[in-house]
Amino acid sequence: TLNHSSSPLPLSLLCSWKKLDLLMAAAADFTQSKQAMSYALCKHLNLDPNSISSTLIKENDIASLFSHIVTSPQDEVKKWVEFSSNFVLSDGEQHALLGNLNQHLSQMSVLLAGFKPSAADIIVFATVHVFMCHLSDSELQKYPNILRWMDYIQNVVDFGMTLQKINLTKSIFNPPAPAPSHPKKADKGDGDPNSKKAVSGQKVADKSDVAADSKKAAGENKVPGDKANPTSTKNNKPSGDKKKVQEKTAGKTEAAAEKAPQKSAEKDSECSVSILNIQVGVIRKAWKHPSADSLLVEEIDLGDGNVRQVVSGLAKFFSPDELVNRHVVLITNVKPGKLRDVMSAGLVLCASNKDHTVVEPLIPPEGAKLGERISFAGCLMGSRKMF
């Protein structure tokens, strides 16, 4: 019989210890999440993150900490604060709550209406981040809308250095090779151009036959001995001139049809995306335009000491502080010029909703280096200039 000291530990005790270790790890992660949430909320509200002490963060739950930072939140935001509190306190129901969140995001870019992250996105992201980091790849694939939303939030919201980014495996989109474009004029002439000419010739011939038959009939009905009708000789001459005019017109039409595809092809090449030089950059500084309320001025770093000043119409959608340290994509082969007396040497690419009330700068591919060129599958990117 084994004595008490050498007997194995009971399974229930081992499970209790394992559960205790998980709880301690979760508690540490949760404290880190509250720090990230506090930092991001302060940055979102233009507050000093250092004004929230670490003691206050540790001793308060999510709802209390949120109410301390955000004094008058919207009712919609309060609902998501309650969601975050329930998510932390629920035992074994996180997957059900994540399912509801995934369903909500199936029709939304962010938690509230619009495209711009709100305080609700910050608090929910910081809360579910801990749980999502411990899921396997197969479990993560159950929540595609949450993954898409988290990837967007972690790239546009500054959580400081406390939260580790979730690396997602993104499928590469390779569009099919574009079919050769045919100019509109050439499309209209898909049928054999000679056939049109033949039909036209047939019509002319038919008309000539009718005219000849009528003249022949007139000659047969004429009384013998009558003098020839002088007008018939005169009418024959113009008919020959008309034939020459028709031949010349047909020749000009064929020549124009041959030139049309060449001009259209040249126009299509001028509209190709390959003429754009699109590079990755980061906004180092941003300030309001001195003489235009709708414009902002940015200093964009393209790497290797290449810094460009760019004027953008983003003042209605962002404050200068919201754009600082944000990665963007920039069209660099544009002719520098002044916008309201301020020099601009590039175009920041953005996306907007249908009515142009929400505008967001495009996010470069993850891992892209400063100055790296953006290319498109199926398109050969050249180095042609736009001016």
Coordinates of all heavy atoms in Angstrom, one line a residue, residues 40 105 108-112 114-129 145-160 163 165-166 168 326 360 363:
A40 N -6.7 54.0 -24.6 CA -7.4 54.3 -25.8 C -8.5 55.3 -25.7 O -8.8 56.2 -26.5 CB -7.9 53.0 -26.5
L105 N -22.2 42.3 -36.1 CA -21.2 42.9 -37.0 C -21.3 42.4 -38.4 O -20.6 42.9 -39.3 CB -19.8 42.6 -36.5 CG -19.3 43.3 -35.2 CD1 -18.0 42.7 -34.7 CD2 -19.2 44.8 -35.5
M108 N -22.5 45.5 -40.0 CA -21.9 46.8 -39.5 C -20.4 46.7 -39.7 O -19.8 45.7 -39.5 CB -22.3 47.0 -38.0 CG -23.7 46.9 -37.7 SD -24.6 48.4 -38.1 CE -24.1 49.5 -36.9
S109 N -19.9 47.9 -40.0 CA -18.4 48.0 -40.0 C -17.8 48.2 -38.6 O -16.8 47.7 -38.3 CB -18.0 49.2 -40.9 OG -18.4 49.0 -42.2
V110 N -18.5 48.9 -37.8 CA -18.2 49.1 -36.4 C -19.5 48.9 -35.6 O -20.5 48.7 -36.1 CB -17.6 50.6 -36.2 CG1 -16.2 50.7 -36.7 CG2 -18.5 51.6 -36.7
L111 N -19.3 49.0 -34.2 CA -20.5 48.7 -33.4 C -21.6 49.7 -33.6 O -22.8 49.3 -33.5 CB -20.0 48.6 -31.9 CG -19.1 47.5 -31.6 CD1 -18.7 47.5 -30.1 CD2 -19.6 46.2 -32.0
L112 N -21.3 50.9 -33.7 CA -22.4 51.9 -33.9 C -22.5 52.3 -35.4 O -21.6 51.9 -36.2 CB -22.1 53.2 -33.0 CG -22.0 52.9 -31.5 CD1 -21.8 54.3 -30.8 CD2 -23.1 52.2 -31.0
G114 N -22.1 54.0 -38.9 CA -21.0 54.7 -39.5 C -19.8 53.8 -39.7 O -19.9 52.6 -39.7
F115 N -18.7 54.4 -40.0 CA -17.4 53.7 -40.2 C -16.3 54.1 -39.2 O -15.3 53.4 -39.2 CB -16.9 54.0 -41.6 CG -17.8 53.5 -42.7 CD1 -18.8 54.3 -43.2 CD2 -17.7 52.2 -43.2 CE1 -19.6 53.9 -44.3 CE2 -18.6 51.8 -44.2 CZ -19.5 52.6 -44.7
K116 N -16.6 55.0 -38.4 CA -15.5 55.5 -37.5 C -15.7 54.8 -36.1 O -16.8 54.8 -35.6 CB -15.7 57.1 -37.3 CG -14.5 57.7 -36.7 CD -14.6 59.2 -36.8 CE -13.4 59.9 -36.3 NZ -13.5 61.4 -36.3
P117 N -14.6 54.3 -35.5 CA -14.7 53.7 -34.2 C -15.1 54.6 -33.2 O -14.8 55.8 -33.2 CB -13.2 53.2 -34.0 CG -12.6 53.1 -35.3 CD -13.3 54.2 -36.1
S118 N -15.9 54.1 -32.2 CA -16.4 54.9 -31.1 C -15.9 54.4 -29.8 O -15.1 53.4 -29.7 CB -17.9 54.9 -31.1 OG -18.4 53.6 -30.9
A119 N -16.3 55.0 -28.7 CA -15.9 54.4 -27.4 C -16.4 53.0 -27.2 O -15.8 52.2 -26.5 CB -16.5 55.4 -26.3
A120 N -17.6 52.7 -27.8 CA -18.1 51.3 -27.7 C -17.1 50.3 -28.3 O -16.9 49.2 -27.7 CB -19.5 51.3 -28.3
D121 N -16.6 50.6 -29.4 CA -15.6 49.7 -30.1 C -14.4 49.5 -29.2 O -13.8 48.4 -29.1 CB -15.2 50.3 -31.4 CG -16.4 50.3 -32.4 OD1 -16.7 49.3 -33.0 OD2 -16.9 51.4 -32.6
I122 N -13.9 50.6 -28.6 CA -12.7 50.5 -27.7 C -12.9 49.6 -26.5 O -12.1 48.7 -26.3 CB -12.3 51.9 -27.2 CG1 -11.9 52.8 -28.4 CG2 -11.2 51.9 -26.2 CD1 -11.6 54.2 -28.1
I123 N -14.1 49.8 -25.8 CA -14.3 49.0 -24.6 C -14.5 47.5 -24.9 O -14.0 46.6 -24.2 CB -15.4 49.6 -23.8 CG1 -15.5 48.9 -22.4 CG2 -16.7 49.6 -24.5 CD1 -16.5 49.5 -21.4
V124 N -15.3 47.2 -26.0 CA -15.6 45.9 -26.3 C -14.4 45.2 -26.9 O -14.1 44.0 -26.6 CB -16.8 45.8 -27.4 CG1 -17.0 44.4 -27.8 CG2 -18.0 46.3 -26.7
F125 N -13.6 45.9 -27.7 CA -12.4 45.3 -28.2 C -11.4 44.9 -27.1 O -10.9 43.8 -27.1 CB -11.7 46.3 -29.2 CG -10.4 45.8 -29.7 CD1 -10.4 45.1 -31.0 CD2 -9.2 45.9 -29.1 CE1 -9.2 44.6 -31.5 CE2 -8.0 45.4 -29.6 CZ -8.0 44.8 -30.8
A126 N -11.2 45.8 -26.2 CA -10.3 45.5 -25.0 C -10.8 44.3 -24.2 O -10.0 43.6 -23.6 CB -10.1 46.7 -24.2
T127 N -12.1 44.2 -24.1 CA -12.7 43.1 -23.3 C -12.6 41.7 -24.0 O -12.1 40.8 -23.4 CB -14.2 43.4 -23.0 OG1 -14.3 44.7 -22.4 CG2 -14.8 42.3 -22.1
V128 N -13.0 41.6 -25.3 CA -13.0 40.3 -25.9 C -11.6 39.9 -26.4 O -11.3 38.8 -26.8 CB -13.9 40.3 -27.1 CG1 -15.3 40.7 -26.7 CG2 -13.5 41.3 -28.2
H129 N -10.6 40.9 -26.4 CA -9.3 40.6 -26.9 C -8.7 39.5 -26.1 O -8.0 38.6 -26.7 CB -8.5 41.9 -26.8 CG -7.0 41.7 -27.3 ND1 -6.0 41.3 -26.4 CD2 -6.4 41.9 -28.5 CE1 -4.9 41.2 -27.1 NE2 -5.1 41.6 -28.3
N145 N -16.8 37.8 -38.7 CA -17.1 39.2 -38.7 C -16.4 39.9 -37.5 O -16.0 41.1 -37.6 CB -18.6 39.4 -38.5 CG -19.4 38.8 -39.7 OD1 -19.0 39.0 -40.8 ND2 -20.5 38.1 -39.4
I146 N -16.2 39.2 -36.4 CA -15.4 39.7 -35.3 C -14.0 39.9 -35.7 O -13.4 40.9 -35.3 CB -15.6 38.8 -34.0 CG1 -17.0 38.8 -33.6 CG2 -14.7 39.3 -32.9 CD1 -17.3 38.0 -32.3
L147 N -13.4 38.9 -36.4 CA -12.0 39.0 -36.8 C -11.8 40.2 -37.7 O -10.8 40.9 -37.6 CB -11.6 37.7 -37.4 CG -11.5 36.5 -36.5 CD1 -11.2 35.2 -37.4 CD2 -10.5 36.7 -35.4
R148 N -12.7 40.4 -38.7 CA -12.6 41.5 -39.6 C -12.7 42.8 -38.8 O -11.9 43.7 -39.1 CB -13.7 41.4 -40.6 CG -13.7 42.5 -41.7 CD -14.8 43.5 -41.4 NE -16.1 43.0 -41.1 CZ -17.0 43.6 -40.5 NH1 -16.8 44.8 -39.9 NH2 -18.2 43.0 -40.3
W149 N -13.6 42.9 -37.9 CA -13.8 44.1 -37.1 C -12.5 44.4 -36.2 O -12.0 45.5 -36.1 CB -15.0 44.0 -36.2 CG -15.2 45.0 -35.1 CD1 -15.5 46.3 -35.2 CD2 -15.0 44.7 -33.7 NE1 -15.5 46.9 -34.0 CE2 -15.2 45.9 -33.0 CE3 -14.6 43.6 -33.0 CZ2 -15.1 46.0 -31.6 CZ3 -14.5 43.7 -31.6 CH2 -14.8 44.9 -30.9
M150 N -12.0 43.3 -35.5 CA -10.8 43.5 -34.7 C -9.6 43.9 -35.5 O -8.8 44.7 -35.0 CB -10.6 42.2 -33.9 CG -11.6 41.8 -32.9 SD -11.2 40.4 -31.9 CE -10.0 41.1 -30.7
D151 N -9.5 43.4 -36.7 CA -8.3 43.8 -37.5 C -8.4 45.2 -37.8 O -7.4 45.9 -37.9 CB -8.3 42.9 -38.8 CG -7.1 43.2 -39.6 OD1 -6.0 43.1 -39.1 OD2 -7.3 43.5 -40.8
Y152 N -9.6 45.7 -38.1 CA -9.8 47.1 -38.4 C -9.5 48.0 -37.2 O -8.8 49.0 -37.3 CB -11.2 47.4 -38.9 CG -11.5 48.8 -39.2 CD1 -10.8 49.6 -40.1 CD2 -12.6 49.4 -38.5 CE1 -11.1 50.9 -40.3 CE2 -12.9 50.8 -38.7 CZ -12.2 51.5 -39.6 OH -12.5 52.8 -39.8
I153 N -10.1 47.6 -36.0 CA -9.9 48.5 -34.8 C -8.5 48.5 -34.4 O -8.0 49.6 -34.0 CB -10.8 47.9 -33.7 CG1 -12.3 48.0 -34.1 CG2 -10.6 48.7 -32.4 CD1 -12.8 49.3 -34.4
Q154 N -7.8 47.4 -34.4 CA -6.4 47.4 -33.9 C -5.4 48.2 -34.8 O -4.3 48.5 -34.4 CB -5.9 46.0 -33.7 CG -5.6 45.2 -35.0 CD -5.2 43.8 -34.8 OE1 -5.0 43.4 -33.7 NE2 -5.0 43.0 -35.9
N155 N -5.9 48.5 -36.0 CA -5.1 49.3 -37.0 C -5.4 50.8 -37.0 O -4.6 51.6 -37.5 CB -5.2 48.7 -38.4 CG -4.4 47.5 -38.6 OD1 -3.2 47.6 -38.8 ND2 -5.0 46.4 -38.7
V156 N -6.5 51.2 -36.4 CA -6.9 52.6 -36.4 C -7.0 53.2 -35.0 O -7.0 54.4 -34.9 CB -8.2 52.8 -37.1 CG1 -8.1 52.4 -38.6 CG2 -9.4 52.1 -36.5
V157 N -7.1 52.4 -34.0 CA -7.2 52.9 -32.6 C -5.8 52.6 -31.9 O -5.2 51.5 -32.0 CB -8.3 52.2 -31.8 CG1 -8.3 52.6 -30.4 CG2 -9.6 52.5 -32.5
D158 N -5.4 53.6 -31.2 CA -4.1 53.5 -30.4 C -4.4 53.0 -29.0 O -4.9 53.7 -28.2 CB -3.4 54.9 -30.4 CG -2.1 54.9 -29.7 OD1 -1.6 53.8 -29.5 OD2 -1.5 55.9 -29.5
F159 N -4.0 51.7 -28.8 CA -4.1 51.1 -27.5 C -2.8 51.2 -26.7 O -2.7 50.5 -25.6 CB -4.6 49.7 -27.6 CG -6.0 49.5 -28.0 CD1 -6.4 49.4 -29.3 CD2 -7.0 49.5 -27.1 CE1 -7.7 49.2 -29.7 CE2 -8.4 49.4 -27.5 CZ -8.7 49.2 -28.8
G160 N -1.8 51.9 -27.2 CA -0.5 51.9 -26.5 C 0.2 50.7 -26.8 O 0.0 50.0 -27.8
L163 N -1.5 46.0 -25.5 CA -2.2 44.9 -26.2 C -1.4 44.5 -27.4 O -0.9 45.3 -28.2 CB -3.6 45.4 -26.7 CG -4.6 45.5 -25.6 CD1 -6.0 45.8 -26.2 CD2 -4.7 44.2 -24.8
K165 N -1.1 42.8 -31.0 CA -1.9 42.7 -32.2 C -2.2 41.2 -32.5 O -1.4 40.4 -32.4 CB -1.3 43.4 -33.4 CG -1.4 44.9 -33.4 CD -1.1 45.5 -34.8 CE -1.3 47.0 -34.8 NZ -1.0 47.5 -36.2
I166 N -3.4 41.0 -33.0 CA -3.9 39.7 -33.4 C -3.5 39.6 -34.9 O -4.0 40.3 -35.7 CB -5.4 39.5 -33.2 CG1 -5.7 39.6 -31.7 CG2 -5.8 38.2 -33.8 CD1 -7.2 39.5 -31.4
L168 N -3.8 37.9 -38.3 CA -4.8 37.2 -39.0 C -4.2 36.7 -40.3 O -3.5 37.4 -41.0 CB -6.0 38.0 -39.3 CG -6.7 38.7 -38.0 CD1 -7.9 39.5 -38.5 CD2 -7.1 37.6 -37.1
R326 N -0.5 57.7 -38.2 CA -1.3 56.8 -38.9 C -0.7 56.4 -40.3 O -0.2 57.3 -41.0 CB -2.7 57.4 -39.2 CG -3.7 56.5 -39.9 CD -5.1 56.9 -39.7 NE -6.0 56.0 -40.3 CZ -7.3 56.0 -40.1 NH1 -7.9 56.9 -39.3 NH2 -8.1 55.1 -40.7
E360 N -12.5 57.6 -44.8 CA -11.4 56.9 -44.1 C -10.2 56.8 -45.0 O -10.4 56.3 -46.1 CB -11.9 55.6 -43.5 CG -12.8 55.6 -42.3 CD -12.0 55.8 -41.1 OE1 -10.8 55.7 -41.1 OE2 -12.6 56.1 -40.0
I363 N -6.0 51.7 -45.5 CA -5.0 51.1 -44.6 C -4.0 50.3 -45.5 O -4.5 49.4 -46.3 CB -5.6 50.2 -43.6 CG1 -6.6 51.0 -42.7 CG2 -4.6 49.6 -42.7 CD1 -7.4 50.2 -41.7

